[in-house]
Amino acid sequence: MKRKDLEKKLRKAGCYLKREGASHSLWINPQTGVVEAVPRHAEVKEMLAKKILKSLNAE
């Protein structure tokens, strides 16, 4: 999955970027308080993208 598409899905679910790290971006779901690291690659593996979306309740 393209990183842009993953970020678009996260924003649509109400998540926002908490901060940028060296190799990951931290996204937070304000309703649940869950923070998840998203790798800073152009492509994110499909299984990892699904895990991130599920963790942040953004499916």
Side-chain angles (χ1 to χ4, degrees), residues 1-4 6-7 10 17 19-27 36-53 56:
M1 177 181 290
K2 297 246 183 247
R3 183 173 184 212
K4 269 197 251 183
L6 176 58
E7 290 177 350
L10 291 173
L17 180 66
R19 70 175 176 86
E20 291 283 348
S23 60
H24 291 80
S25 303
L26 293 181
W27 285 77
E36 188 68 47
V38 177
R40 295 175 70 186
H41 301 288
E43 281 285 327
V44 178
K45 292 186 179 181
E46 202 65 35
M47 293 295 287
L48 179 58
K50 287 181 182 182
K51 182 234 179 230
I52 292 168
L53 291 170
L56 291 172

